[in-house]
Amino acid sequence: MSSLPARRGAYGVDAPYAPLLMALGGVCLLTLSVTRLWLAESRPAMVSAAALSVAALWLFLNAGIFVHTTRAGKFAVWADLLDRLELKGDERLLDIG
């Protein structure tokens, strides 16, 4: 567990359009899949509908993982990196970024 105090930064979502576009793509693929199933008359149409559903699920999962990593994941990585430095408090730091 990190010895750092609670985080105070709120940096938002790194690229807010990215998860929105992923979710929108997932909705489009899911709509296409449902339409394909509704109009399906053969087995290949059902297989393609299933493939579209899997692709939609993949996009929804990507959007969720993206939001999690940009809102919480980076803080966990930063805390781990800072813990491994074993800083004592008397160091000097130059921030050039």
Side-chain angles (χ1 to χ4, degrees), residues 7-69:
R7 71 173 193 227
R8 293 181 303 207
Y11 301 107
V13 178
D14 291 334
Y17 57 86
L20 290 175
L21 289 176
M22 287 179 214
L24 180 63
V27 168
C28 291
L29 287 173
L30 196 58
T31 303
L32 190 58
S33 173
V34 169
T35 304
R36 189 95 168 135
L37 272 177
W38 190 9
L39 301 174
E41 295 178 4
S42 65
R43 184 172 174 87
M46 290 183 187
V47 171
S48 67
L52 289 169
S53 297
V54 169
L57 178 63
W58 179 258
L59 283 174
F60 289 136
L61 287 172
N62 275 333
I65 290 170
F66 184 95
V67 170
H68 170 72
T69 57

Side-chain angles (χ1 to χ4, degrees), residues 2-3 8 23 33 39 41 54 60 71-72 82 85 87 91:
S2 174
S3 61
R8 293 181 303 207
S33 173
L39 301 174
E41 295 178 4
V54 169
F60 289 136
R71 299 288 294 157
L82 290 173
L85 287 175
L87 299 174
E91 297 86 356

Side-chain angles (χ1 to χ4, degrees), residues 2 4 7 69 72-84:
S2 174
L4 298 175
R7 71 173 193 227
T69 57
K74 62 184 164 191
F75 291 103
V77 171
W78 293 344
D80 183 47
L81 288 172
L82 290 173
D83 280 346
R84 284 191 277 155

